[in-house]
Amino acid sequence: MNGKHSRTLLLSAVLLLGACSVTRADEPPPTTTGIETTTTTAIVTSPTPVPPTTTTTTTTTTTTIPPTTTTTMPLPPATSLSLAQVAKITGDLTPKSIVASGKGLFFAQNMMYRHTITVYNRTFELVKTIPDTVDLTGLGFEGDHQGAPVEAAFTSDGAHAYVSNYQMYGPGFSRPGGDGCGLAEWDESFVYRIDTNTLEVDQIIAVGAVPKYLAVTPDDRYVLVANWCSFDVSIIETDTGAEVARVAVGRHPRGIAIDPDSTTAYVAVMGSSHIAVLDLSDLSVTRLDGVGANPRHLVMDPTGRFLYATLNGAGQVIKIDLETREVITRVVTGTAPRSMTISGDATALYVVNYGSDTIAKVATDTMTVLQTEAVAHHPIGITFDEATRRVWVASYSGVITVFDER
């Protein structure tokens, strides 16, 4: 297996549609996407013309009009608004995650159940279905192979998306990944880079076994990938597309959050009760101990002061003060809280409760649940689009639900 060394390939991907789809018994048949839209008409009023006046004096009078100041009213905080459902998207999808580019695109990763990434826009239209089939010739394998898209992360300009593949399918991959990680060695896998202009795979990067969550550093220098079954984090250099290091962090790394200065990464070690703290300058690792059972997903406060974590085993969401390195408070949002996202103004968290079939809105200052809404069976992914102040929720049962903050 050639996956333990840094490898990369810049290429125009060969994407094959409709290859080897696997249908889950609990998936509904494809239906027409429901879209709710609102049209706003702008009315422009012109000033009434004033007729010219006749001047009967040789004296000229000048009137000085003081300058006017235009004040833009700040948007109300998310905590003062309420979630209202505006769309439900169905079709040929089984989304494990949904991620906003910040530039108007939304990537849903459909795992091995569809072997696709489905891309939507802000009017809920399907822009493109991207197959996960790529040519691995030159990377130690012969011909075309399929992946299993899990999660996505975008560069700050939205120009590229990095997508992790749970496992690969094809010749040379005889020990596919799994959640239990019972084998001594799993097949290693790959991360795809997708150009968001062409919506094609343009780079393939070797990483560890069963890569799941991934994150781009705020300075766009690195992509960090949590390798579930090799118990480490791959560090990818974006300029070269090369995996430059792997750092052991413990059994079953999952969520990743990076501070605003791109100096420290926090990794949820789901097979434990701690969070690994990775210094990106020297790749040394320390720990935040005693956070609770099975930390899964992490969200960083924009100031870098607070870290939020879902505890899948304990059934809680926690808030950690990174100055004191202590858990401030805990809240129960539902059964099996998994992924979450944060509002643009950082006043609200949105949490999917996998076992409750709900999402919960939580005030970040008091860590109290403000609102709970029902969604489709097994919600698993969630993202926030700041430009529209909308929350997108991906359910494993084949539905994406979109909420407005009103």
Side-chain angles (χ1 to χ4, degrees):
M1 175 73 183
N2 196 27
K4 290 186 179 292
H5 301 284
S6 301
R7 296 159 293 181
T8 180
L9 176 65
L10 292 171
L11 51 82
S12 296
V14 179
L15 306 178
L16 304 179
L17 294 173
C20 301
S21 295
V22 178
T23 302
R24 289 175 17 141
D26 59 350
E27 292 170 6
T31 58
T32 303
T33 300
I35 300 175
E36 178 179 318
T37 59
T38 302
T39 302
T40 303
T41 302
I43 301 175
V44 180
T45 303
S46 301
T48 303
V50 179
T53 57
T54 303
T55 302
T56 56
T57 177
T58 59
T59 303
T60 302
T61 302
T62 302
T63 303
T64 302
I65 301 174
T68 58
T69 302
T70 301
T71 303
T72 301
M73 296 298 293
L75 293 172
T79 48
S80 69
L81 306 174
S82 296
L83 293 170
Q85 183 177 316
V86 293
K88 183 179 287 187
I89 302 170
T90 57
D92 194 17
L93 72 162
T94 52
K96 173 72 171 180
S97 63
I98 183 79
V99 184
S101 70
K103 305 297 180 180
L105 294 178
F106 303 83
F107 277 38
Q109 287 59 241
N110 297 307
M111 293 278 285
M112 72 288 291
Y113 310 115
R114 290 292 184 268
H115 284 297
T116 62
I117 301 156
T118 42
V119 182
Y120 304 89
N121 61 21
R122 285 180 173 143
T123 57
F124 321 122
E125 298 167 312
L126 177 63
V127 177
K128 186 174 182 179
T129 298
I130 306 173
D132 65 7
T133 301
V134 293
D135 185 352
L136 294 183
T137 303
L139 290 175
F141 304 91
E142 294 184 3
D144 293 334
H145 290 72
Q146 290 181 298
V150 185
E151 295 275 357
F154 291 87
T155 53
S156 61
D157 60 2
H160 291 98
Y162 291 87
V163 177
S164 56
N165 286 279
Y166 185 92
Q167 64 188 76
M168 300 301 293
Y169 294 81
F173 293 93
S174 59
R175 298 168 70 85
D179 279 350
C181 304
L183 299 177
E185 287 189 27
W186 295 101
D187 289 333
E188 295 185 339
S189 191
F190 295 89
V191 165
Y192 299 167
R193 190 183 76 169
I194 297 174
D195 185 317
T196 57
N197 183 42
T198 63
L199 293 178
E200 294 183 348
V201 176
D202 67 359
Q203 198 174 82
I204 305 170
I205 306 162
V207 291
V210 192
K212 291 196 175 185
Y213 197 81
L214 69 174
V216 181
T217 56
D219 63 5
D220 290 323
R221 183 179 180 185
Y222 296 119
V223 180
L224 275 59
V225 186
N227 299 312
W228 180 262
C229 284
S230 51
F231 310 153
D232 52 25
V233 173
S234 291
I235 312 293
I236 298 169
E237 191 174 57
T238 57
D239 283 350
T240 63
E243 182 197 53
V244 295
R246 286 190 198 172
V247 182
V249 293
R251 192 175 184 87
H252 304 323
R254 189 71 173 63
I256 301 172
I258 304 165
D259 72 347
D261 295 329
S262 301
T263 59
T264 307
Y266 298 84
V267 183
V269 184
M270 200 168 170
S272 76
S273 60
H274 69 262
I275 294 169
V277 183
L278 173 58
D279 187 324
L280 294 177
S281 65
D282 60 11
L283 302 186
S284 61
V285 179
T286 56
R287 302 193 330 191
L288 292 173
D289 286 313
V291 298
N294 309 126
R296 184 185 188 276
H297 192 84
L298 303 178
V299 167
M300 175 72 67
D301 177 83
T303 67
R305 171 71 184 275
F306 301 108
L307 183 68
Y308 304 93
T310 59
L311 305 178
N312 189 65
Q316 300 172 335
V317 179
I318 63 172
K319 180 179 183 179
I320 302 169
D321 187 329
L322 293 177
E323 288 188 359
T324 63
R325 297 171 70 91
E326 293 181 352
V327 176
I328 298 174
T329 188
R330 303 170 185 267
V331 61
V332 174
T333 60
T335 304
R338 295 204 170 176
S339 300
M340 62 180 166
T341 189
I342 193 168
S343 62
D345 61 10
T347 63
L349 292 172
Y350 308 90
V351 185
V352 296
N353 301 304
Y354 186 80
S356 302
D357 295 341
T358 61
I359 65 165
K361 179 180 175 179
V362 178
T364 56
D365 57 350
T366 61
M367 292 299 286
T368 55
V369 176
L370 302 176
Q371 187 177 356
T372 301
E373 292 292 325
V375 291
H377 188 48
H378 282 168
I380 189 71
I382 191 165
T383 194
F384 185 84
D385 182 39
E386 171 63 13
T388 58
R389 304 192 94 183
R390 283 178 173 161
V391 179
W392 291 56
V393 181
S395 294
Y396 239 163
S397 52
V399 179
I400 297 171
T401 311
V402 186
F403 293 88
D404 254 349
E405 279 283 31
R406 295 178 177 175

